[in-house]
Amino acid sequence: MIGKLKLKKSNIATLQDDLDELKSINKAMKDIYSTSELEVCLQRIIDNVMDLLGVEMSSLMLFDEKRNELRIEIAKGLSKDIIKNTHIKLGQGISGWIAKEGKPILIKDIRKDSRFSRRGGSYETESLLSVPLKIGDKVIGVMNVNNKRTKDTFNEYDLRVFSTIAAEAAVAIKQTRQLKELRDIAEIRLDSITKISHELRTPLTCIKESISLLEDSMKGVLEEKQLSMMDIAKKNVDRLQRLISNVLDFSKMKDGKLKMRRSLVDLTDIARIVVETFKSNIDRQKISLSINGETNLPQVWADADMITQVFTNLLGNAVRHSSDGDKIVIDLKKVGSELEVSMADEGPGIPKEEQERIFEKFHQVDSDFSKKGATSGLGLPITKEIIALHKGTIWAESIPGKGSKFTFKLPIDLMGATSAKIVS
């Protein structure tokens, strides 16, 4: 009986150790996965590995396929010269062997391992761990740790923890690399479009003025069909000018050159003004539009032009994607220290898989949501940037086939203002 009791207690202790290990690894991976920046991701990998294994030295090397070598991307406990000048060919040394073989290694005493020569450097123990960073069968890098703070030798438990972290870290690195590449492509694309947009502004203005002059000079002469064609031409020019303005505004935001001019702003007034600008479209489509607002809502300290653009972008989308006879509802209310504005429509809605990406620049929804006219893919990203500049939040809710609802919140007293003075 005593033997069985000891066995049970031993099993419980082992299970508890395993549970603690899983909890620690899970916490580390949440930290690593919570960033989309490659440099931050690498830093968090190193920090969590060193903390979990209790080591003083660690390095993360990534494989450069063009040069066929490993280079240290980030390290702790190594000198700057070593970090900068370490370039290891495939198969060379311990890290090169790991990269070539794709297998982890636990060395308890490097002096007794005939495969590798003795190392230089300030190593306090002769024990080390090295594991590959792999995506499938492909090695993308290697991680190394040395010098346990306890001065103990690395063991199988350490290897298991290290290998588990490395497997997840490789996936995190791949994801953040891909995001970085996409951002770089988007930046190049935005820069190119911005340059083209600047060049297009002048000829478009000339075209618009020419159409207006022609229309004025031929009043009473043009037939109804010809007038309709002139109206279509003007609307398309207006649309191109809006797209160009969106591109240039986003470029200014990206470069931090867009200045805010804040004053006390009445959001209900802005909502009414913006609705009026869409009145012809609303009437033509027989859309039922209502503004529901609480009485005596406080004003917010904001840039009136920017907030007007937010309303314009959101209402423009709602009208564009509404069918004849649909309803659009704008709600305004005070929630704590913020004002909340929501705009709900009965359009086609946004597919669930697209809802997380609609605020990304240049992203266009590939569904019925986008079939009523191509856009620049910048309206919602600009809207999000404006709300962020005002320290607010914005999100979307949608049920495909039933409509969408966009909601944003703005702090009422962003600047601690008590007057309506205009500031830069």
Side-chain angles (χ1 to χ4, degrees):
M1 178 66 73
I2 294 174
K4 288 182 179 179
L5 183 63
K6 286 183 178 179
L7 181 61
K8 287 180 180 179
K9 287 183 177 180
S10 177
N11 287 341
I12 292 171
T14 301
L15 287 172
Q16 186 60 51
D17 288 343
D18 290 342
L19 182 60
D20 291 341
E21 176 189 328
L22 287 172
K23 284 181 178 179
S24 298
I25 292 173
N26 185 54
K27 182 181 178 182
M29 293 322 304
K30 280 184 177 179
D31 184 43
I32 292 167
Y33 276 113
S34 65
T35 180
S36 60
E37 300 294 332
L38 180 59
E39 292 77 11
V40 177
C41 178
L42 297 178
Q43 183 66 60
R44 290 182 180 179
I45 291 170
I46 284 287
D47 290 343
N48 279 285
V49 163
M50 294 185 72
D51 183 54
L52 283 172
L53 296 179
V55 297
E56 297 174 345
M57 300 175 69
S58 181
S59 63
L60 190 155
M61 312 176 80
L62 293 180
F63 187 65
D64 186 332
E65 292 184 357
K66 291 181 180 179
R67 298 184 179 182
N68 196 40
E69 65 182 21
L70 290 162
R71 289 187 293 176
I72 297 177
E73 292 294 325
I74 189 168
K76 279 192 172 182
L78 297 178
S79 69
K80 290 181 179 179
D81 286 340
I82 291 176
I83 295 171
K84 182 180 178 181
N85 298 318
T86 299
H87 303 278
I88 297 175
K89 294 294 182 182
L90 195 65
Q92 176 187 345
I94 297 172
S95 296
W97 184 90
I98 297 294
K100 184 178 179 180
E101 299 297 326
K103 299 175 183 178
I105 193 169
L106 162 60
I107 297 178
K108 295 191 174 183
D109 191 337
I110 189 66
R111 296 169 298 183
K112 298 178 181 179
D113 196 317
S114 60
R115 293 172 297 177
F116 310 111
S117 60
R118 180 158 166 68
R119 308 161 297 165
S122 56
Y123 297 101
E124 295 184 17
T125 70
E126 300 300 333
S127 180
L128 64 90
L129 282 180
S130 188
V131 296
L133 295 166
K134 295 174 69 175
I135 301 293
D137 293 329
K138 183 179 180 180
V139 176
I140 65 168
V142 173
M143 289 186 68
N144 309 289
V145 290
N146 303 88
N147 290 4
K148 291 191 77 170
R149 297 189 189 105
T150 58
K151 311 307 177 191
D152 292 331
T153 298
F154 288 109
N155 54 43
E156 294 296 332
Y157 170 83
D158 297 322
L159 181 61
R160 184 173 72 241
V161 171
F162 199 17
S163 296
T164 303
I165 289 287
E168 294 293 335
V171 176
I173 291 169
K174 180 185 177 181
Q175 290 178 352
T176 52
R177 271 179 158 179
Q178 289 174 336
L179 284 171
K180 186 177 186 302
E181 288 171 3
L182 289 173
R183 288 195 195 99
D184 291 342
I185 291 169
E187 292 302 318
I188 293 169
R189 185 179 177 186
L190 180 59
D191 289 341
S192 299
I193 293 174
T194 301
K195 291 174 184 176
I196 295 170
S197 298
H198 274 294
E199 296 297 323
L200 287 174
R201 295 185 85 175
T202 301
L204 275 176
T205 301
C206 293
I207 291 170
K208 186 175 181 179
E209 289 176 355
S210 298
I211 293 172
S212 297
L213 288 171
L214 185 61
E215 192 176 37
D216 290 341
S217 64
M218 299 189 71
K219 279 183 178 178
V221 178
L222 296 175
E223 298 177 0
E224 185 176 341
K225 186 176 181 180
Q226 292 170 322
L227 285 169
S228 176
M229 291 176 67
M230 295 283 281
D231 186 53
I232 291 171
K234 283 198 300 183
K235 285 180 178 177
N236 276 285
V237 170
D238 287 340
R239 177 172 168 272
L240 283 172
Q241 287 183 321
R242 286 197 300 273
L243 295 181
I244 288 170
S245 294
N246 279 347
V247 170
L248 296 178
D249 284 348
F250 197 87
S251 180
K252 288 177 183 177
M253 287 180 184
K254 178 179 73 76
D255 295 335
K257 295 177 181 178
L258 194 65
K259 292 183 178 180
M260 295 179 66
R261 296 182 65 81
R262 298 185 182 92
S263 63
L264 286 174
V265 176
D266 189 318
L267 295 187
T268 305
D269 284 347
I270 289 181
R272 293 194 184 106
I273 291 168
V274 172
V275 167
E276 192 63 29
T277 64
F278 285 93
K279 191 175 187 306
S280 60
N281 300 74
I282 292 168
D283 291 343
R284 186 173 63 253
Q285 294 176 233
K286 297 179 182 179
I287 293 171
S288 171
L289 192 148
S290 59
I291 300 175
N292 304 327
E294 297 176 2
T295 57
N296 301 317
L297 282 175
Q299 295 179 314
V300 296
W301 189 245
D303 185 302
D305 290 337
M306 287 189 183
I307 298 304
T308 298
Q309 188 172 1
V310 168
F311 274 91
T312 300
N313 288 346
L314 295 180
L315 184 57
N317 279 343
V319 171
R320 186 181 305 112
H321 302 302
S322 292
S323 299
D324 292 355
D326 279 355
K327 293 180 181 179
I328 296 176
V329 178
I330 301 173
D331 276 308
L332 301 96
K333 61 184 177 181
K334 183 175 180 290
V335 180
S337 61
E338 298 175 305
L339 283 192
E340 180 179 294
V341 179
S342 65
M343 201 171 299
D345 63 58
E346 296 180 328
I350 308 166
K352 188 175 181 180
E353 64 273 14
E354 299 278 3
Q355 291 178 23
E356 294 293 324
R357 301 192 60 200
I358 55 174
F359 291 104
E360 294 178 10
K361 55 180 177 287
F362 298 121
H363 181 69
Q364 295 182 347
V365 177
D366 184 20
S367 70
D368 290 338
F369 182 81
S370 60
K371 288 180 181 177
K372 294 199 174 184
T375 67
S376 64
L378 288 173
L380 289 176
I382 287 172
T383 298
K384 183 180 179 180
E385 289 290 333
I386 290 173
I387 296 299
L389 283 172
H390 286 80
K391 309 299 181 186
T393 54
I394 184 169
W395 66 93
E397 302 166 87
S398 184
I399 300 175
K402 293 188 177 181
S404 303
K405 181 180 179 181
F406 286 82
T407 306
F408 65 88
K409 286 184 178 181
L410 295 175
I412 295 168
D413 193 20
L414 177 63
M415 300 294 288
T418 56
S419 67
K421 292 181 181 179
I422 302 293
V423 297
S424 297

